[in-house]
Amino acid sequence: GAVVSQHPSWVICKSGTSVKIECRSLDFQATTMFWYRQFPKQSLMLMATSNEGSKATYEQGVEKDKFLINHASLTLSTLTVTSAHPEDSSFYICSAYRGITDTQYFGPGTRLTVL
Amino acid sequence: DAKTTQPPSMDCAEGRAANLPCNHSTISGNEYVYWYRQIHSQGPQYIIHGLKNNETNEMASLIITEDRKSSTLILPHATLRDTAVYYCIVRVPQTGANNLFFGTGTRLTVIP
């Protein structure tokens, strides 16, 4: 149990376009999901906390208008990178919080490359 | 949340036990110790967590010292697929909101 999926697993886009990444908890409901970013040879950095039915909370330095988060249901959160630029190229990872086990479960990640 | 200190890298022979240490000398009484690992180009995988008693599951064992200032994750029979970065994290339970701070972790390399 406690499986989290992400789609797509990788995406290549042109500079200036927008990209949407989906995060789904497949076998449990998650009122809270998290979005992380990881650059090569670095650790995960939290970008934002996504709460079902309310606005996301962004970490300092993360532009909320550039990284749009929607948590429309208890099993789905989406991250949209708007007007992507090459510096947004990174590995984006989501996690879903399962209250009954008090544990975050992570998705497999999405590798974004902006040309 | 308390910060943790881990060695940057370790090697382990395949089939042998891998013992990964973690120092958390400033841990507070209500903080648990969590271990995750991240295999290359994948999302982190939950391994195990504990408060003060030793814990064991199908993946690993967690040994926490009596003063709770350090712990050791034990992979009893390391395989090549256990090569990954292992993160030791301390957090207050049942807070929901994120307090998973991923430090630099320990890069474990299992050698054939």
Side-chain angles (χ1 to χ4, degrees), chain A residues 9-36:
Chain A
S9 56
W10 60 270
V11 57
I12 302 173
C13 70
K14 293 182 179 180
S15 185
T17 61
S18 295
V19 174
K20 179 185 285 188
I21 302 170
E22 292 185 349
C23 177
R24 294 181 185 272
S25 55
L26 298 184
D27 52 1
F28 67 99
Q29 294 183 331
T31 55
T32 304
M33 293 184 173
F34 304 96
W35 288 95
Y36 295 79

Side-chain angles (χ1 to χ4, degrees), chain A residues 37-39 41-45, chain B residues 38 87 101-105:
Chain A
R37 182 168 51 182
Q38 186 175 33
F39 292 106
K41 299 189 184 299
Q42 295 185 23
S43 191
L44 283 78
M45 293 297 294
Chain B
Q38 186 178 25
Y87 295 97
F101 174 76
F102 286 85
T104 54

Side-chain angles (χ1 to χ4, degrees), chain B residues 10-60:
Chain B
M10 292 182 63
D11 292 340
C12 177
E14 186 178 18
R16 305 296 296 269
N19 297 283
L20 293 95
C22 180
N23 181 287
H24 33 78
S25 59
T26 60
I27 192 170
S28 59
N30 61 344
E31 288 182 312
Y32 280 59
V33 180
Y34 281 73
W35 283 84
Y36 284 80
R37 73 179 182 183
Q38 186 178 25
I39 296 170
H40 182 63
S41 294
Q42 297 183 24
Q45 177 188 22
Y46 165 79
I47 301 174
I48 197 168
H49 73 280
L51 179 64
K52 56 182 180 180
N53 296 320
N54 297 339
E55 301 288 344
T56 296
N57 63 20
E58 64 277 6
M59 290 185 67

Side-chain angles (χ1 to χ4, degrees), chain A residues 65-94:
Chain A
D65 294 331
K66 180 171 182 61
F67 299 99
L68 302 179
I69 292 173
N70 184 280
H71 194 155
S73 76
L74 290 173
T75 59
L76 173 64
S77 176
T78 60
L79 169 69
T80 300
V81 183
T82 62
S83 187
H85 289 106
E87 56 266 31
D88 298 322
S89 297
S90 188
F91 192 49
Y92 291 85
I93 308 168
C94 73

